[in-house]
């Protein structure tokens, strides 16, 4: 079950579409959105204005972000024992890109192609949401 979902994406249209697909998939959760890698890490580490932020059950992480890209966010996330076990789905622009990212970085729990479809989102939520990564 995904009670708290963090969407990390700098494209408002992609965020809107993802939220629509979450609704269509019947995934009820508190959804939090940040637009760059620095904000994502602040949210996950509960720093600054995010001191009361909930711990996400699942993170949807766009790979191409301003300030810190997905690779940097994922590396910092996995090296921080306080949040290293938060499940992450990396979002790519194509199947080829997703396969390339999967080969380059094994740190994510899954790799998906944008735009996400309801069945795919439901699968990630069921498989990863609420489950903690074993390092």
């Amino acid at each position: 079950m995904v009670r708290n979902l963090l969407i990390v994406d700098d494209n408002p249209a992609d965020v809107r579409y993802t939220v629509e697909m979450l609704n269509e998939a019947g995934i009820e959760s508190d959804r939090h959105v940040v637009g760059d890698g620095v904000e994502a890490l602040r949210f996950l580490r509960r720093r600054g204005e995010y001191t009361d932020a909930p711990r996400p059950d699942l993170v949807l992480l766009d790979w191409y972000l301003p300030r810190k890209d997905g690779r940097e966010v994922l590396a910092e996330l996995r090296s921080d024992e306080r949040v290293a076990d938060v499940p992450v789905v990396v979002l790519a622009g194509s199947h080829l890109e997703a396969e390339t990212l999967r080969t380059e970085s094994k740190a994510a729990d899954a790799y998906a192609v944008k735009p996400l479809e309801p069945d795919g989102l439901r699968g990630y939520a069921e498989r990863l949401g609420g489950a903690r990564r074993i390092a």
Side-chain angles (χ1 to χ4, degrees):
M1 175 190 318
V2 177
R3 287 182 298 275
N4 290 292
L5 175 69
L6 176 60
I7 301 169
V8 185
D9 200 319
D10 63 321
N11 184 328
D14 285 347
V15 171
R16 274 192 309 277
Y17 185 83
T18 300
V19 168
E20 287 175 19
M21 293 302 100
L22 288 163
N23 291 338
E24 192 171 316
I27 299 171
E28 295 182 21
S29 62
D30 288 334
R31 297 162 191 163
H32 310 275
V33 178
V34 295
D36 65 55
V38 171
E39 291 300 308
L41 289 167
R42 291 179 70 194
F43 185 98
L44 289 160
R45 292 173 173 156
R46 297 178 177 155
R47 297 223 172 106
E49 69 269 32
Y50 302 111
T51 55
D52 293 327
R55 180 184 174 94
D57 298 302
L58 183 63
V59 175
L60 299 178
L61 176 66
D62 185 28
W63 198 246
Y64 299 103
L65 296 166
R67 297 173 59 186
K68 282 193 186 226
D69 65 19
R71 179 183 324 274
E72 294 170 296
V73 171
L74 199 51
E76 287 192 40
L77 176 71
R78 294 302 185 225
S79 68
D80 185 335
E81 66 185 31
R82 296 168 294 172
V83 290
D85 61 344
V86 173
V88 176
V89 176
V90 168
L91 305 177
S94 70
H95 289 287
L96 178 61
E97 184 179 51
E99 287 305 313
T100 301
L101 295 175
R102 184 186 330 269
T103 303
E104 291 176 7
S105 173
K106 307 271 189 229
D109 295 281
Y111 296 82
V113 177
K114 289 199 287 187
L116 294 168
E117 296 299 323
D119 289 341
L121 277 168
R122 195 176 305 110
Y124 293 125
E126 290 170 0
R127 196 167 24 130
L128 301 172
R132 294 293 179 226
R133 178 181 171 88
I134 298 171

